[in-house]
Amino acid sequence: MTTDVASLDLTANAVDLTVQLVDIESVSQNEQAIADAVEAALSACGHLTVSRHGNTVVARTDLGRGERVVIAGHLDTVPLNANLPARREGELLHGLGTCDMKGGDAVILRLAATVPEPNRDVTYILYECEEIDSELNGLYLLGQSHPELMEADFAILMEPSNAEVEAGCQGTLRVEVRATGERAHSARSWKGVNAIHAATPILERLRAYEPRKPMIDGLEYHEGLNAVFISGGVAGNVLPDECVVEVNHRFAPDRSEAEAQQFVRDFFEGYDVTVTDSAPGALPGLDLPAAKAFIEAVGREVNPKFGWTDVARFTSLGIPAVNFGPGDPMLAHKQEEHVPVEHIERCERQLREWLTTPRKPAESASREREHASAGTPERRSSW
Amino acid sequence: MTTDVASLDLTANAVDLTVQLVDIESVSQNEQAIADAVEAALSACGHLTVSRHGNTVVARTDLGRGERVVIAGHLDTVPLNANLPARREGELLHGLGTCDMKGGDAVILRLAATVPEPNRDVTYILYECEEIDSELNGLYLLGQSHPELMEADFAILMEPSNAEVEAGCQGTLRVEVRATGERAHSARSWKGVNAIHAATPILERLRAYEPRKPMIDGLEYHEGLNAVFISGGVAGNVLPDECVVEVNHRFAPDRSEAEAQQFVRDFFEGYDVTVTDSAPGALPGLDLPAAKAFIEAVGREVNPKFGWTDVARFTSLGIPAVNFGPGDPMLAHKQEEHVPVEHIERCERQLREWLTTPRKPAESASREREHASAGTPERRSSW
């Protein structure tokens, strides 16, 4: 470790460690300093095998346990917004990355450093570029270059989820719905057909949309259908011949991508519908033994995950996965993001208990991972 | 006249002269060659006083007649679109500018050259930059630098009007109508308000709009209210908090700009309406003696002008003005623009008769120009 590398004190408590991590600025694609610090600190722990992949750091125990879990968090943040350095006010820690997700990273580092003999083998992954172009996502790249390092019976992503367990995730689909017309000079509009006016029923249908809220594995999902962009227009004196409404459909994981696409096509019947983006949902998978054991151990209520996160990257590999991290996801990416100190402490305490309490016989059963899965490997971050 | 200047043969008939003019490419801001040729050809006519202003050429008779008329045409065209040189097919002349408006320019040049002693004084104006940014418009600039050269009892613009008289013009108004909402992640859309969905009633009202068609001076106008642009959207996974519909209102000249604005505000009641552009209509003014005499002389049906043209530049100076030129205005700016040979010939014949038939006593009456007018000086081209 040279003096150029910021040092992290893994003997500090997780809250102080969060402050240390937040104060190493690590906007996406600027993760070298934080990855160097993380690599150096973990390499000092003799019980871990550490490897570096770009600015992604992997640290593993290899105790020959009958089960392996991944605990992962991303090291990058969205751009600075006059919200560094970290600042504690009472029971809240403020600053860029406090919520998304250096509080979770601190918990990971604390567990990695201080639980030398966990009751199941653990692969800790601290990765780069979650907040930007999904092709740069460290977890995606690791799955491509070293798929064996992703292997596990269960995965926990420490994405902010109010220190509650969020399971599964909804699929997301984007389509362009197109209304057409005929151009004409706006001074003689009766000679043409205004495509923007012709788009009225598209908006009327969206406005009348009633979301499905299916129950799956005891979790209530909540679908959505929203215009996210609208555009049309040629010139200030011309009737436009095209108006495009870009619609984002969020669908519960009991529907396949094909079913969701069909729903959207039927919904906009009479209009040209082009799919521009599609990612499957992920079923909660809470009936798989490793997941069940975790839920029991933390004893928390399980909530459905509405957004798309890297959880789906694991479930698409047949690995049940949940989000379980400090911080309110609604504060992610906001200038005023912050995290309750209590969330960080609770996540650390519960994970520590889960990794150190002697496992029940049922939990040690053979791995039940299925590698077949629902959909193509994903190349996106949380959506 | 140097060999660098393209030469125009003003002894050719107006159709052949149109071909000569078309074949001197003169896309807006590239009018030097054509203006040089026009200036040289007109300067060779001893009965005219010629002046040059940028690439605008003015030629006047000064016979001390009791009345003066302006006959004007622009020299520029919209951009090339693989439609040069001029090409005659039967009774049609094809090519860039044939319709808009070198057929009219040819008529102007023929009259200027071959009617040395017209029955009323004539100011011929051949001007630059009508098709682009209105601040570059040659007629606008001439009105600023040499307002005395614009003075007249009556003005004829040889804009394409199917060789019929088009009088007056409708006003034009653009407004931004804004719907607002609250951003939210599209995975949790129930936390926000979608501004695009909230814009639905704006489009519903536009779709239900019934145009007014008032009769003014015996002409039926036809108003219009059209979305010309729509935009909204933040990101593919965010509920937008703003949707803006840009609306173009064309209003008959019996309404002032203020009345038209009030109409639009009332129409979109409940939404934020911002006026971005406004130009008054022009009353036909056909009751003024010079206009009346022209209409009688050409003996043609008079139509209302729906679009905004430089006609309004004259009417805003209190000078009655009409469009009267060869070519179908619907073909202007089209790749396939063309002009019927018969239109060119008819316009020339009728104007020649009007300028050479001895004037009736009533026509020679004192000038009745009013300099007060309906609205601010205009700075736009045909709209």
Side-chain angles (χ1 to χ4, degrees):
Chain A
M1 189 160 114
T2 74
T3 51
D4 288 322
V5 176
S7 73
L8 291 172
D9 176 7
L10 302 193
T11 67
N13 67 52
V15 176
D16 290 344
L17 186 52
T18 302
V19 173
Q20 293 178 49
L21 289 167
V22 168
D23 289 348
I24 304 174
E25 184 262 283
S26 60
V27 174
S28 305
Q29 296 194 292
N30 191 29
E31 301 97 332
Q32 177 153 4
I34 199 168
D36 286 351
V38 164
E39 183 187 4
L42 292 175
S43 296
C45 304
H47 60 280
L48 296 172
T49 306
V50 177
S51 60
R52 172 83 173 247
H53 314 268
N55 287 323
T56 293
V57 179
V58 180
R60 295 162 52 98
T61 64
D62 278 299
L63 300 166
R65 307 297 194 212
E67 186 178 300
R68 175 174 291 280
V69 296
V70 163
I71 305 181
H74 62 83
L75 293 170
D76 63 321
T77 70
V78 294
L80 276 163
N81 193 359
N83 47 5
L84 278 186
R87 171 174 56 85
R88 181 162 176 170
E89 278 182 16
E91 293 309 298
L92 296 179
L93 202 58
H94 293 262
L96 178 63
T98 46
C99 167
D100 188 14
M101 57 175 282
K102 292 182 175 177
D105 294 335
V107 171
I108 293 174
L109 290 173
R110 283 288 295 163
L111 295 171
T114 62
V115 185
E117 295 196 351
N119 55 10
R120 57 246 314 148
D121 273 314
V122 186
T123 303
Y124 300 100
I125 304 178
L126 291 136
Y127 61 103
E128 64 184 329
C129 288
E130 193 268 353
E131 298 291 2
I132 55 168
D133 187 351
S134 50
E135 305 215 338
L136 301 171
N137 180 296
L139 207 52
Y140 163 67
L141 293 175
L142 191 68
Q144 297 290 304
S145 66
H146 296 79
E148 73 282 2
L149 293 179
M150 301 279 282
E151 285 182 12
D153 298 277
F154 181 54
I156 297 166
L157 271 125
M158 302 215 56
E159 286 277 351
S161 53
N162 282 312
E164 303 286 346
V165 179
E166 291 185 342
C169 76
Q170 298 201 127
T172 178
L173 181 68
R174 270 191 299 162
V175 296
E176 287 179 355
V177 187
R178 202 170 303 268
T180 54
E182 271 176 57
R183 287 191 196 187
H185 195 292
S186 63
R188 292 176 289 272
S189 50
W190 53 95
K191 304 271 189 184
V193 178
N194 191 317
I196 296 175
H197 299 193
T200 310
I202 298 173
L203 300 193
E204 285 172 339
R205 292 184 205 175
L206 282 168
R207 235 186 165 202
Y209 167 76
E210 293 283 349
R212 242 176 27 108
K213 298 181 183 177
M215 292 291 295
I216 308 168
D217 284 4
L219 306 180
E220 189 188 47
Y221 286 83
H222 191 147
E223 297 192 331
L225 191 69
N226 274 279
V228 288
F229 285 105
I230 189 165
S231 64
V234 174
N237 59 357
V238 174
L239 258 67
D241 53 356
E242 185 176 88
C243 178
V244 178
V245 186
E246 193 170 333
V247 174
N248 185 208
H249 179 37
R250 301 292 177 141
F251 56 98
D254 62 339
R255 276 194 178 165
S256 69
E257 286 174 275
E259 287 167 335
Q261 290 184 17
Q262 193 55 53
F263 165 76
V264 173
R265 287 187 193 286
D266 292 346
F267 191 85
F268 292 113
E269 200 187 342
Y271 290 92
D272 178 42
V273 172
T274 310
V275 175
T276 56
D277 190 34
S278 176
L283 285 165
L286 300 182
D287 51 335
L288 294 175
K292 233 183 230 173
F294 173 74
I295 307 299
E296 279 172 26
V298 302
R300 314 280 318 171
E301 194 187 345
V302 179
N303 298 310
K305 182 69 187 170
F306 298 118
W308 203 102
T309 77
D310 277 335
V311 152
R313 213 177 285 283
F314 288 100
T315 52
S316 77
L317 296 170
I319 303 170
V322 297
N323 288 303
F324 177 64
D328 180 349
M330 300 301 287
L331 291 172
H333 305 192
K334 299 219 164 146
Q335 202 269 341
E336 69 275 21
E337 74 169 288
H338 56 256
V339 66
V341 162
E342 184 270 328
H343 281 193
I344 299 173
E345 291 167 344
R346 172 149 45 105
C347 282
E348 184 188 356
R349 187 173 63 247
Q350 295 198 313
L351 285 170
R352 183 181 301 280
E353 277 173 23
W354 178 60
L355 290 176
T356 54
T357 307
R359 290 168 62 206
K360 298 179 214 163
E363 273 192 62
S364 332
S366 66
R367 300 184 179 198
E368 301 197 24
R369 182 152 27 90
E370 293 164 33
H371 272 281
S373 86
T376 51
E378 283 315 314
R379 299 194 296 171
R380 70 179 60 228
S381 300
S382 50
W383 254 74
Chain B
M1 190 157 113
T2 75
T3 50
D4 288 322
V5 176
S7 73
L8 291 172
D9 176 8
L10 301 192
T11 68
N13 67 52
V15 177
D16 290 343
L17 186 53
T18 302
V19 173
Q20 293 179 49
L21 289 167
V22 169
D23 288 348
I24 304 174
E25 184 264 282
S26 60
V27 174
S28 305
Q29 296 196 291
N30 190 30
E31 300 98 331
Q32 176 153 5
I34 199 166
D36 286 351
V38 163
E39 183 186 6
L42 292 176
S43 295
C45 304
H47 60 280
L48 297 171
T49 307
V50 178
S51 60
R52 172 83 173 246
H53 314 269
N55 287 323
T56 294
V57 179
V58 181
R60 297 161 52 99
T61 64
D62 279 298
L63 301 164
R65 307 296 194 212
E67 184 179 302
R68 176 174 290 281
V69 295
V70 163
I71 304 181
H74 62 83
L75 293 170
D76 62 323
T77 69
V78 294
L80 274 163
N81 193 1
N83 48 5
L84 280 187
R87 171 173 56 84
R88 179 161 177 171
E89 278 182 17
E91 293 308 299
L92 296 180
L93 202 58
H94 293 262
L96 178 63
T98 47
C99 168
D100 188 15
M101 56 173 283
K102 292 183 175 178
D105 294 334
V107 170
I108 293 173
L109 290 173
R110 283 288 295 163
L111 296 171
T114 63
V115 185
E117 295 196 349
N119 55 10
R120 56 243 319 145
D121 274 314
V122 187
T123 304
Y124 300 101
I125 304 178
L126 291 135
Y127 62 103
E128 64 185 327
C129 289
E130 191 269 353
E131 298 291 4
I132 56 169
D133 186 353
S134 50
E135 304 215 338
L136 301 172
N137 181 297
L139 208 52
Y140 163 67
L141 294 175
L142 190 69
Q144 297 291 305
S145 67
H146 296 79
E148 72 283 2
L149 293 179
M150 302 279 282
E151 284 181 12
D153 299 277
F154 180 53
I156 297 167
L157 270 126
M158 302 216 55
E159 285 278 352
S161 54
N162 282 312
E164 304 285 348
V165 179
E166 290 184 343
C169 76
Q170 297 200 128
T172 178
L173 181 67
R174 271 192 298 161
V175 296
E176 288 179 353
V177 188
R178 202 170 303 268
T180 53
E182 273 176 55
R183 288 193 195 184
H185 196 290
S186 62
R188 292 175 289 272
S189 50
W190 54 95
K191 304 273 190 182
V193 178
N194 191 316
I196 296 176
H197 299 195
T200 310
I202 297 173
L203 299 192
E204 286 172 337
R205 291 183 205 175
L206 282 168
R207 233 184 165 203
Y209 168 77
E210 294 284 348
R212 244 176 25 110
K213 298 181 181 177
M215 292 293 293
I216 307 168
D217 282 5
L219 306 181
E220 188 188 46
Y221 285 82
H222 190 145
E223 298 193 330
L225 192 68
N226 274 278
V228 288
F229 284 105
I230 189 166
S231 64
V234 175
N237 59 358
V238 173
L239 259 67
D241 53 355
E242 184 177 88
C243 178
V244 179
V245 186
E246 193 169 332
V247 174
N248 184 208
H249 179 38
R250 300 292 177 142
F251 55 97
D254 61 341
R255 276 195 178 162
S256 69
E257 288 174 275
E259 286 166 337
Q261 290 183 17
Q262 194 56 50
F263 165 75
V264 172
R265 288 187 193 285
D266 291 347
F267 191 85
F268 292 114
E269 199 187 343
Y271 290 92
D272 177 44
V273 172
T274 310
V275 175
T276 57
D277 191 33
S278 177
L283 285 165
L286 300 182
D287 51 334
L288 295 175
K292 232 183 230 173
F294 173 74
I295 306 298
E296 278 171 25
V298 301
R300 314 280 320 169
E301 193 187 346
V302 179
N303 299 309
K305 181 70 186 169
F306 298 118
W308 203 103
T309 78
D310 276 335
V311 153
R313 214 177 286 283
F314 288 101
T315 51
S316 76
L317 296 171
I319 303 169
V322 297
N323 288 303
F324 177 63
D328 180 349
M330 299 300 286
L331 290 172
H333 305 192
K334 298 219 166 149
Q335 201 270 341
E336 69 273 20
E337 75 169 285
H338 56 256
V339 66
V341 162
E342 184 270 328
H343 281 193
I344 299 173
E345 293 167 343
R346 173 150 45 104
C347 282
E348 184 188 356
R349 188 173 63 246
Q350 295 198 316
L351 286 170
R352 183 180 301 279
E353 278 173 24
W354 178 60
L355 289 177
T356 55
T357 308
R359 289 167 63 204
K360 299 177 213 161
E363 275 191 62
S364 336
S366 65
R367 299 187 180 197
E368 301 198 25
R369 185 151 27 89
E370 292 165 31
H371 272 281
S373 86
T376 50
E378 281 317 313
R379 298 195 296 170
R380 69 178 64 226
S381 300
S382 50
W383 253 75

